[in-house]
Amino acid sequence: MGIRISPSVLNSDLANLAGEVRRIAATADWVHLDVMDNHFVPNLTFGLPVVESLLSHIDTPADCHLMIDDPGRWDPAYAEAGAGSVTFHVEAARNPAKVARDIRAAGARAGIALNPGTPIDAIAEAIEHVDMILVMTVEPGFGGQAFRADVLPKVRQARDLADAADVDIWVQVDGGVDLGTIEECAAAGADTFVAGSAVFRAEDPAEMVELLRAAAENAARP
Ligand code: DX5
Ligand code: ZN
């Protein structure tokens, strides 16, 4: 199973986004971009114009995590702008299967995210249209929160769902992932790891990505 590390820039120097992405470019597989609308979550970050502009300055593939209402209205545009992966929240989507199909049709991998309190059954109908399941390990909205180990059983359920599918579905965890928690996520079946504060508060962010990767590889399910 491949391991992917996707650092989140949420807690980085946001006025210097392209420069921050370059600090992880040598080792990161993706860069995770947290779009928030102050409706779906109680925080506001950046939107399509900033992501479009950033993409013209970086080579690292973009993993956009849209914490917004009405994702059907916006998500495909991030794919058209060149994001390699676009994830929406199942809680926000009226028709999750359609949102996922539209993201794919616009040229990106489609991800579906679940808040800590949302059961895995919520994605049953959309599963055949997605390329990634994002299991949130904090309530979405802010970086730097404590990891929720109570969500690990759902990571296992997501892994089982992914393994049963015909296509290669990635299982991503996001929130509180660091050197102290990444191993239990990998052991539960996650293969794609978002880490914000752990990476950008490290003295050498690119080196921290490699440390996280090694820890995940050691603990990954065979
Ligand atoms: C939270 C965001 C996460 C966050 C992760 O709503 O979706 O991507 O930036 O940050 P850390 O790793 O600090 O929890
Ligand atoms: Zn995120």
Side-chain angles (χ1 to χ4, degrees):
M1 188 166 65
I3 297 290
R4 287 160 290 268
I5 309 290
S6 183
S8 162
V9 295
L10 184 60
N11 273 350
S12 74
D13 179 6
L14 289 176
N16 179 27
L17 261 184
E20 293 290 72
V21 177
R22 279 186 210 108
R23 293 174 74 203
I24 50 138
T27 55
D29 303 281
W30 294 82
V31 58
H32 184 85
L33 302 175
D34 287 304
V35 173
M36 303 185 188
D37 67 351
N38 195 34
H39 290 272
F40 182 70
V41 287
N43 196 6
L44 186 64
T45 54
F46 43 78
L48 188 58
V50 172
V51 171
E52 273 179 331
S53 172
L54 177 64
L55 289 177
S56 71
H57 292 278
I58 62 171
D59 297 320
T60 308
D63 160 31
C64 290
H65 176 195
L66 277 72
M67 287 157 274
I68 62 171
D69 280 345
D70 199 9
R73 160 77 178 81
W74 290 103
D75 283 37
Y78 287 81
E80 281 158 19
S85 176
V86 179
T87 297
F88 65 96
H89 271 263
V90 66
E91 303 87 0
R94 274 188 295 274
N95 186 343
K98 181 177 187 324
V99 179
R101 281 199 308 268
D102 288 350
I103 291 169
R104 277 183 170 174
R109 296 177 60 91
I112 192 162
L114 301 102
N115 285 341
T118 304
I120 196 78
D121 300 349
I123 64 171
E125 275 172 37
I127 190 75
E128 65 184 289
H129 304 287
V130 306
D131 303 291
M132 184 168 79
I133 305 167
L134 164 49
V135 180
M136 290 301 300
T137 42
V138 297
E139 285 298 334
F142 300 91
Q145 302 182 73
F147 178 77
R148 296 253 315 244
D150 60 305
V151 179
L152 285 169
K154 196 165 60 183
V155 176
R156 277 180 215 109
Q157 292 175 324
R159 178 80 262 159
D160 291 344
L161 212 52
D163 286 347
D166 295 334
V167 294
D168 181 23
I169 299 181
W170 299 350
V171 176
Q172 185 177 61
V173 284
D174 181 8
V177 175
D178 60 20
L179 285 176
T181 57
I182 195 168
E183 291 182 3
E184 46 192 329
C185 295
D191 55 18
T192 308
F193 303 86
V194 178
S197 341
V199 168
F200 281 96
R201 289 192 187 144
E203 208 167 298
D204 184 340
E207 184 190 19
M208 179 53 72
V209 170
E210 283 306 84
L211 293 173
L212 289 165
R213 185 191 309 285
E217 278 170 355
N218 271 335
R221 278 199 201 178

